[in-house]
Amino acid sequence: MIEETKVLTSRIHKKDSHTLESYREDGGYEAAAMALAMDPDEVTAIVKDSGLRGRGGAGFPTGLKWTFLPKDRDFTYLCVNADESEPGTFKDRVILDLDPHLMIEGTVISCHALKSEHAFIYIRGEFCRPYRRLVAAVQEAYEAGILGDNVLGTGRKLDITIHKGAGAYICGEETALLNSIEGLRGQPRIKPPFPTNHGLFGRSTVINNVETLANVPVILKEGAEVYRSRGTEKSPGTRLFSVSGHVERPGVYELEHGVSFKDMLNDICGGVKGGRALKAVVPGGSSVPVLTAEESMKLQMDFESCQECGTMLGSAGVIVMDETTDMVWALDKLTHFYAHESCGQCTPCREGTGWVAELVHLINQGRAKSADFDKLIDLGTQICGNTICVFSDAVFMPVMSYTTKFRSEFESKLIDSAPVHEKVGA
Amino acid sequence: MATTEKTEVKFSEARKQEIERIRGRYETPRGLIMPLLWMIQDDYGWISYDAMELIAGECETSPAWVYSIATFYTMFELEKPIRYHLQVCNTLSCGLCGSESILAHLEDRLGIQAGESTEDGRFRLTAVECLASCGTGPMMQMNDEYYESLTTEKVDAMLEEWNCD
Amino acid sequence: MAKITINGVEQAVEDGLYLIEAARRCGVDIPHYCYHPGLPVEGNCRMCSVEVEGIPKLQTACTTIVQDGMVVITDSEKVVGERSDVMEFLLRNHPIDCPICDQAGECGLQDYYMEHGLHDSRITVSEKVKKKKRVDLGPNVVLDSERCILCTRCVRFCKDVVGTEELVIKNRSNHAEITTFPGKGLVNPYALNTVDICPVGALTSRKFRFQCRVWYMKNATSICPGCERGCNIWIDHHENKIQRLRPRLNPDVNNYWMCDEGRLDFHWINDDRVLRAEGPDGLMRPDEADRAVLALLSNPGDVLIVASPRSTNESLFALKRFVEVALPGAALTGGSFRPTGDDDGFLRLPDKNPNSRGMREIGIAGDLENRLNGSAGVVLVFENDLLGDRPDLESVLAGKKVVAFTSNRTATARGADLVVPVTTYAELNGSFTNHAGLRQEFRSAIRPPGDSRSVFDVVKSLSGLLGKELGWESETALTKEMTDVITGWGVRVEEETELHAG
């Protein structure tokens, strides 16, 4: 029987955990005070040594990202990506809502490491209570001298500006996020140049996810070595898993990287809802390839194991689907989402996602022919790889994995397919 | 969210001070567009064309540019506000937990389809994409608040309360 | 210089160029929609994706800057396949209304479909996203939203070239559309350039819509006579009528652009022309007209010749020589009463005449008003609508014999004793010297209507009747002498090739 490893989430069940008073009672901002006494490069080195990988989706090593900043930069921004929008992912919302100071402390430390005097927090517009709490927390931090012109009495300067999104999944893409702050349409930018060289308002910029930054105080406090003792070699530390769908106890759980999916499902989440059989699992947010029940039973929840399994850990948004799930219906839901969220900039994505969604919907409604299904498969590859950002890949992966792994379900809904099976309702 | 019928859109003195406070945070005037759109929406409940022109003036940009930004995002209300805007998440995780039946129930109870408003202008029902509350699905957002782990009974109780309001 | 290899051929190109431009200069055209050399790059259409050695993903040639040693393939199976895919996507929601579309014949979708598409349609018409078919964007431009491929050239033109920013994209995903702010129009004075750069039939000119199929038209290089900028233009004509004017690339003058005012000011060339010479006794043949003029020239000291900054250098040079050689003693002046405009900081300049500087450099003085108020009893007015611009001059001219050499039935022509038709700039080879001193040549586009003659021919004929020689066998000889004599005029501007709009 495995249990949660509460490192980041140790405080979230406490009363008023979102307040500065509560945070300080648990040793809040001690790591920041410690870090600010150190040389910025030393802080970066510790984060690098910890092996911390980005929690937003791509899993890029955080410390390494920081070292990409040019040495001769004149001004540096840190942008905190709190635009959590990947379907199946809701862990940043928990931090923002229940322990915003943890992330703010991570921001203070990281800004010191990056020699940044201004951080933007781009928070998802729909997060109403988390937004209110974040605003209050930042206000508290200013009043307590944690932010402002004399950060923790060190004479250093740091401002945090909270920028509220307004309903656009694509703004979670880091360059779209920058454009959104700049008052441009939230469309991804052509890279290169990369944000570390030419980011927000043309300045050197690092963009980190909420959970990523929440790890930073922990790393500073316990040191890289202790931090690395949890998780796997290539995926150190714990992870906030958002578990949803057909499980007895959905929710956000903090577990060490490398935990087996099976244990997580059974021990932590109480197994599949109603004791039904498992059919499919999305391990890392809706954009990653779906796994069959069989594949998922061998899966360990870390970056490299997921990759070996032909999928990705992504944002660790775990969507569980039981035997009653109609996989065509499930893909219909997802492709509808992507069609709605394409920024509309690049031709293949703008036109392709809408087309894909229509075809999937047509199949789901039992109004499609096998030629439509063939077209859908073609579109999956046509959309991919010729766009400014990876949104098109995020459409491609579910389309290809659902249609490949659950092909018969699709075929059975085609007008001109062989025997039509009874509809498997969800 | 106020439904005040004001003919003239303007920033209050307090807002003006707030704008001056944050202006320095954005290196270009355009950066203020989203914060100002939010201010208008918070104060008036929606963003009229007059408001967009007002914002354009503050941000040294064309009204068309502000319009482009306002229509890119789904949360900016470009029509007059509705007392109760029910936004039911209909993406996969909530779908797996029965969001479609909640949506259908609401359509039934309110006598409208998703995307429509009731004739008395009190309710608008929208099917929206993932609201990052997947662990507590099905869920919806009513104006600024999340309502989670919905059942038809819970929905009925809410409608009861809001109808009496 | 950077050495790059395109499709196996090594070439040297300028540093800092975008690959698409570098390839074009090497003779390799890479298909594209959103890229336009006069606009900032956006890389959204994805049509120009090519293979760059060492990079697994295809790269858009419009956003990739050439680097020394770069190896590029623009015609591999992968590239060609991608192009075909992009075409299929672009046509996904595009209406099939080519038969009624004005862009037909110069449409990027039609052209590239023939080259890079040619796939069978897998789209049923009912599936297409419906959008508005006729949106009046302003006085001059009409938008068909369904035809738009959202390349944003027009948006970037208004934002980055003119700075007015009236066109934007509203919404996102496949509901994205070009629009103005509700209730406002595309009213900038350069709006029609968006029609030129629109690679499809989404933006059309209200004036040109449904007027003429583009494949019937012939075009000639010319210079806009609308102001002293001298924007380089194409005259597109059909059956000896001008159908439209379009800007012609000249990086030193107008780049890819021209103003709407200049662009739309051509109907006077097609309509209301003076076709025959006319005197008190009615219509005259050209030779009769010349003799009638001659009859007024018996006392050169009583003759005032009024030149115009709307005339070509060649006409002015000939006129000056005519006075010197054939009519010594006559006064020659030049000038214009045309109302001036503003310098708008982009193309439009205050002086609405195309050749004021040329006239000055040729040495025709601009003391027009004084001269008119002088004692001369005979006034020969060449291409100058004195009364149209200054109706109050009627009393000044009242006691004088006036001969109007004019292309149109102007107020001056109506008040003249003798009217002699002459050509417009569209009907002759010539040149204007713009405000910056650049002498720009142009070619005749259409045939002169009726008895219209060039000023050169008119004064040559009059000289002959007076028994004098101007000294040139042809206009070419005139041009040679003129450019030899006037400093700086020997430099001829290179003629640019076809406007790079596709």
Side-chain angles (χ1 to χ4, degrees):
Chain A
M1 195 77 173
I2 63 156
E3 282 179 6
E4 277 194 82
T5 308
K6 296 191 173 181
V7 180
L8 306 187
T9 56
S10 59
R11 306 183 55 259
I12 63 172
H13 299 292
K14 291 190 177 173
K15 187 170 178 290
D16 296 331
S17 62
H18 59 280
T19 62
L20 180 60
E21 195 186 346
S22 162
Y23 190 62
R24 280 224 148 123
E25 276 168 20
D26 292 320
Y29 291 106
E30 284 169 11
M34 200 172 82
L36 262 67
M38 291 159 62
D39 182 75
D41 292 342
E42 212 178 322
V43 179
T44 302
I46 293 172
V47 172
K48 213 171 161 185
D49 288 345
S50 75
L52 174 65
R53 294 176 68 169
R55 304 295 200 240
F60 196 83
T62 306
L64 186 60
K65 193 187 221 178
W66 291 2
T67 61
F68 289 163
L69 286 171
K71 289 269 174 292
D72 58 351
R73 62 191 188 271
D74 56 347
F75 196 88
T76 312
Y77 284 110
L78 172 66
C79 287
V80 183
N81 189 342
D83 190 48
E84 183 171 55
S85 313
E86 177 77 6
T89 314
F90 46 101
K91 39 93 185 174
D92 292 339
R93 186 166 75 97
V94 169
I95 298 174
L96 293 163
D97 197 29
L98 301 175
D99 205 1
H101 281 289
L102 177 65
M103 186 204 71
I104 295 171
E105 185 174 9
T107 305
V108 171
I109 297 168
S110 302
C111 282
H112 176 58
L114 301 170
K115 300 175 191 143
S116 167
E117 295 184 347
H118 193 174
F120 275 86
I121 300 176
Y122 190 99
I123 182 168
R124 196 174 165 186
E126 288 90 342
F127 286 177
C128 295
R129 192 174 76 172
Y131 172 75
R132 290 194 293 267
R133 287 190 168 173
L134 181 64
V135 169
V138 167
Q139 183 63 30
E140 282 180 315
Y142 268 104
E143 282 161 12
I146 296 163
L147 298 174
D149 292 334
N150 187 12
V151 175
L152 293 167
T154 58
R156 293 202 183 82
K157 189 176 175 305
L158 176 61
D159 280 316
I160 287 184
T161 304
I162 301 170
H163 188 94
K164 192 174 171 188
Y169 168 78
I170 195 62
C171 289
E173 197 277 350
E174 55 183 30
T175 56
L177 182 149
L178 300 180
N179 277 349
S180 184
I181 294 175
E182 289 189 22
L184 311 174
R185 286 167 64 83
Q187 298 176 331
R189 297 179 182 174
I190 293 164
K191 288 156 282 216
F194 291 96
T196 41
N197 286 298
H198 189 92
L200 189 62
F201 300 111
R203 315 278 192 177
S204 293
T205 302
V206 164
I207 300 120
N208 284 136
N209 165 268
V210 170
E211 184 189 344
T212 311
L213 291 172
N215 274 279
V216 172
V218 174
I219 292 167
L220 263 288
K221 214 178 264 183
E222 53 182 34
E225 207 167 317
V226 177
Y227 184 83
R228 292 198 81 112
S229 69
R230 289 186 287 265
T232 68
E233 195 202 331
K234 287 183 179 158
S235 306
T238 58
R239 191 66 187 260
L240 300 186
F241 292 97
S242 315
V243 187
S244 65
H246 295 146
V247 293
E248 281 295 336
R249 291 192 297 276
V252 172
Y253 300 104
E254 186 174 7
L255 300 165
E256 288 187 42
H257 272 125
V259 64
S260 83
F261 168 72
K262 193 177 174 184
D263 289 346
M264 180 167 84
L265 174 66
N266 294 324
D267 299 353
I268 303 292
C269 305
V272 178
K273 204 169 187 176
R276 288 191 291 268
L278 183 67
K279 184 182 211 173
V281 178
V282 176
S286 67
S287 305
V288 307
V290 69
L291 298 177
T292 61
E294 196 186 351
E295 288 171 323
S296 74
M297 284 302 114
K298 296 176 291 194
L299 183 69
Q300 287 179 339
M301 303 300 284
D302 55 64
F303 289 105
E304 56 279 17
S305 303
C306 284
Q307 206 168 351
E308 278 166 31
C309 215
T311 184
M312 289 154 74
L313 186 58
S315 60
V318 183
I319 305 172
V320 176
M321 293 177 257
D322 73 16
E323 57 185 334
T324 66
T325 311
D326 176 343
M327 297 307 284
V328 184
W329 168 88
L331 186 63
D332 190 4
K333 286 271 173 232
L334 287 184
T335 51
H336 184 272
F337 170 84
Y338 289 109
H340 184 253
E341 297 296 345
S342 166
C343 83
Q345 186 177 204
C346 303
T347 307
C349 178
R350 179 183 66 241
E351 305 297 337
T353 49
W355 201 348
V356 161
E358 275 172 42
L359 288 173
V360 175
H361 191 58
L362 213 61
I363 298 172
N364 188 34
Q365 289 182 317
R367 297 196 291 131
K369 296 182 180 158
S370 45
D372 295 316
F373 185 64
D374 294 343
K375 178 64 205 164
L376 174 64
I377 308 289
D378 276 0
L379 281 177
T381 50
Q382 273 175 265
I383 289 175
C384 198
N386 188 18
T387 46
I388 288 172
C389 77
V390 295
F391 182 94
S392 57
D393 298 348
V395 184
F396 167 80
M397 288 188 285
V399 168
M400 295 316 281
S401 59
Y402 282 65
T403 52
T404 309
K405 293 178 183 180
F406 301 94
R407 191 181 177 103
S408 62
E409 290 193 34
F410 285 82
E411 286 174 341
S412 71
K413 288 200 174 193
L414 302 172
I415 300 172
D416 51 354
S417 73
V420 177
H421 299 289
E422 231 174 282
K423 190 185 175 244
V424 196
Chain B
M1 189 150 85
T3 52
T4 336
E5 289 286 338
K6 279 184 192 166
T7 44
E8 196 198 351
V9 181
K10 57 179 186 182
F11 291 113
S12 65
E13 282 309 312
R15 284 297 195 196
K16 280 181 187 159
Q17 283 174 18
E18 195 184 341
I19 293 167
E20 288 323 307
R21 249 199 331 274
I22 61 170
R23 198 184 286 280
R25 297 291 181 93
Y26 293 86
E27 288 193 46
T28 57
R30 259 178 235 268
L32 280 174
I33 293 179
M34 279 182 83
L36 297 195
L37 284 167
W38 273 121
M39 283 183 200
I40 293 286
Q41 181 152 320
D42 288 344
D43 293 349
Y44 293 89
W46 70 300
I47 300 156
S48 63
Y49 294 145
D50 287 347
M52 292 182 205
E53 296 201 59
L54 178 71
I55 292 171
E58 288 289 336
C59 301
E60 298 172 29
T61 178
S62 70
W65 188 268
V66 177
Y67 182 61
S68 175
I69 303 303
T71 55
F72 183 85
Y73 301 94
T74 51
M75 290 186 73
F76 291 128
E77 291 288 344
L78 306 185
E79 286 168 38
K80 286 205 173 181
I82 288 281
R83 181 70 188 87
Y84 299 105
H85 188 184
L86 312 184
Q87 304 175 69
V88 181
C89 171
N90 200 25
T91 310
L92 181 58
S93 295
C94 281
L96 291 167
C97 299
S99 64
E100 286 177 351
S101 59
I102 295 295
L103 198 58
H105 185 68
L106 278 165
E107 286 179 336
D108 200 37
R109 283 294 313 269
L110 297 171
I112 52 171
Q113 297 290 302
E116 294 175 348
S117 305
T118 55
E119 254 173 46
D120 61 6
R122 285 168 63 79
F123 289 92
R124 181 183 297 153
L125 182 63
T126 319
V128 298
E129 300 298 347
C130 186
L131 292 169
S133 185
C134 319
T136 45
M139 61 80 63
M140 69 175 172
Q141 184 175 359
M142 194 283 289
N143 299 347
D144 275 3
E145 296 298 328
Y146 275 16
Y147 293 81
E148 303 171 298
S149 304
L150 297 176
T151 60
T152 50
E153 292 75 25
K154 274 194 189 175
V155 167
D156 284 339
M158 289 169 198
L159 288 180
E160 188 100 337
E161 185 189 324
W162 297 333
N163 258 323
C164 297
D165 177 354
Chain C
M1 297 295 275
K3 276 205 178 114
I4 61 170
T5 307
I6 303 181
N7 299 336
V9 182
E10 194 179 274
Q11 320 234 28
V13 295
E14 242 173 84
D15 286 318
L17 282 182
Y18 285 115
L19 185 50
I20 197 167
E21 196 55 36
R24 193 182 68 85
R25 293 183 193 185
C26 297
V28 177
D29 272 316
I30 301 175
H32 57 276
Y33 291 111
C34 69
Y35 173 74
H36 186 287
L39 300 171
V41 296
E42 196 140 284
N44 62 42
C45 79
R46 316 307 289 177
M47 195 65 184
C48 71
S49 292
V50 294
E51 282 192 67
V52 178
E53 199 177 84
I55 306 174
K57 273 192 169 188
L58 294 182
Q59 299 293 302
T60 39
C62 73
T63 62
T64 306
I65 291 171
V66 289
Q67 279 173 354
D68 199 38
M70 197 174 249
V71 179
V72 182
I73 304 168
T74 72
D75 57 2
S76 66
E77 202 179 316
K78 190 175 172 188
V79 171
V80 171
E82 202 62 59
R83 256 175 229 161
S84 169
D85 288 349
V86 171
M87 285 304 304
E88 188 174 17
F89 285 129
L90 286 173
L91 294 169
R92 170 71 178 87
N93 287 310
H94 191 84
I96 308 159
D97 60 357
C98 306
I100 57 154
C101 179
D102 270 292
Q103 195 79 4
E106 52 184 4
C107 170
L109 286 174
Q110 287 183 334
D111 293 348
Y112 289 155
Y113 176 75
M114 298 313 288
E115 274 178 64
H116 308 288
L118 287 180
H119 41 70
D120 292 330
S121 175
R122 296 188 278 192
I123 308 151
T124 59
V125 173
S126 62
E127 288 171 353
K128 291 179 189 268
V129 175
K130 299 285 185 292
K131 290 177 185 168
K132 291 192 188 112
K133 290 292 287 175
R134 189 185 196 283
V135 184
D136 288 323
L137 285 185
N140 295 332
V141 182
V142 181
L143 165 70
D144 182 327
S145 235
E146 285 187 350
R147 291 180 189 160
C148 175
I149 58 166
L150 293 158
C151 70
T152 72
R153 279 184 181 182
C154 57
V155 172
R156 283 174 281 154
F157 174 76
C158 293
K159 178 171 181 286
D160 300 306
V161 179
V162 192
T164 46
E165 210 175 72
E166 308 109 309
L167 283 182
V168 292
I169 295 182
K170 72 167 176 186
N171 302 336
R172 64 179 191 224
S173 72
N174 60 8
H175 294 284
E177 268 184 81
I178 299 290
T179 184
T180 54
F181 187 67
K184 293 212 169 156
L186 174 59
V187 291
N188 77 62
Y190 298 91
L192 279 167
N193 289 289
T194 62
V195 174
D196 295 331
I197 58 177
C198 180
V200 298
L203 296 178
T204 49
S205 158
R206 186 199 294 270
K207 305 268 165 43
F208 181 68
R209 266 164 81 93
F210 312 127
Q211 295 301 306
C212 184
R213 279 302 193 187
V214 296
W215 52 81
Y216 292 129
M217 294 193 292
K218 295 191 181 70
N219 36 57
T221 59
S222 195
I223 300 296
C224 175
C227 80
E228 57 180 332
R229 172 78 60 188
C231 289
N232 292 211
I233 60 170
W234 289 106
I235 295 180
D236 291 349
H237 55 95
H238 175 53
E239 292 181 338
N240 217 44
K241 294 280 180 200
I242 296 179
Q243 300 293 333
R244 63 177 179 184
L245 305 179
R246 283 181 298 139
R248 182 166 52 91
L249 173 62
N250 187 337
D252 298 324
V253 179
N254 56 307
N255 216 354
Y256 298 88
W257 324 115
M258 73 185 293
C259 73
D260 289 4
E261 195 182 330
R263 182 193 299 258
L264 296 172
D265 187 24
F266 63 83
H267 293 282
W268 59 277
I269 301 168
N270 290 343
D271 306 320
D272 198 30
R273 292 290 294 268
V274 179
L275 299 176
R276 304 273 176 266
E278 203 174 334
D281 304 325
L283 298 179
M284 292 180 277
R285 291 195 311 272
D287 59 316
E288 291 170 338
D290 289 351
R291 275 194 295 274
V293 174
L294 201 67
L296 297 170
L297 302 179
S298 53
N299 178 10
D302 193 35
V303 176
L304 172 65
I305 294 178
V306 176
S308 163
R310 298 191 61 71
S311 295
T312 64
N313 287 317
E314 291 69 13
S315 296
L316 294 168
F317 201 71
L319 203 53
K320 184 160 181 257
R321 177 65 54 88
F322 167 70
V323 176
E324 288 162 0
V325 172
L327 216 55
L332 171 63
T333 187
S336 168
F337 296 121
R338 271 172 93 86
T340 55
D342 292 324
D343 180 349
D344 68 1
F346 183 25
L347 294 177
R348 297 189 305 169
L349 290 172
D351 185 346
K352 296 302 173 192
N353 297 295
N355 204 29
S356 295
R357 178 147 178 180
M359 192 176 78
R360 279 201 305 278
E361 294 195 8
I362 285 169
I364 298 177
D367 55 349
L368 180 55
E369 182 137 24
N370 283 339
R371 290 289 190 173
L372 285 174
N373 283 310
S375 61
V378 177
V379 185
L380 270 50
V381 185
F382 285 85
E383 304 186 84
N384 205 332
D385 187 10
L386 300 171
L387 293 181
D389 298 331
R390 282 275 303 277
D392 62 295
L393 290 173
E394 197 177 342
S395 57
V396 176
L397 293 178
K400 304 175 192 286
K401 287 277 179 197
V402 176
V403 183
F405 295 89
T406 179
S407 56
N408 289 72
R409 301 192 175 279
T410 58
T412 310
R414 283 193 295 276
D417 300 272
L418 198 55
V419 180
V420 181
V422 294
T423 53
T424 67
Y425 78 102
E427 293 133 15
L428 52 132
N429 298 334
S431 67
F432 294 137
T433 300
N434 78 354
H435 71 109
L438 190 67
R439 192 181 80 89
Q440 305 189 94
E441 293 190 346
F442 51 87
R443 305 256 148 260
S444 86
I446 52 175
R447 294 185 308 280
D451 291 339
S452 305
R453 289 174 292 165
S454 69
V455 171
F456 174 76
D457 284 340
V458 169
V459 296
K460 198 173 166 203
S461 166
L462 290 175
S463 308
L465 290 174
L466 288 162
K468 305 288 180 185
E469 280 292 330
L470 294 179
W472 305 301
E473 282 306 305
S474 65
E475 282 192 59
T476 320
L478 180 160
T479 305
K480 185 170 183 317
E481 187 186 327
M482 181 178 73
T483 51
D484 284 348
V485 170
I486 301 176
T487 319
W489 283 21
V491 188
R492 284 189 52 180
V493 180
E494 281 290 303
E495 270 182 25
E496 280 289 333
T497 46
E498 179 65 40
L499 172 68
H500 189 84

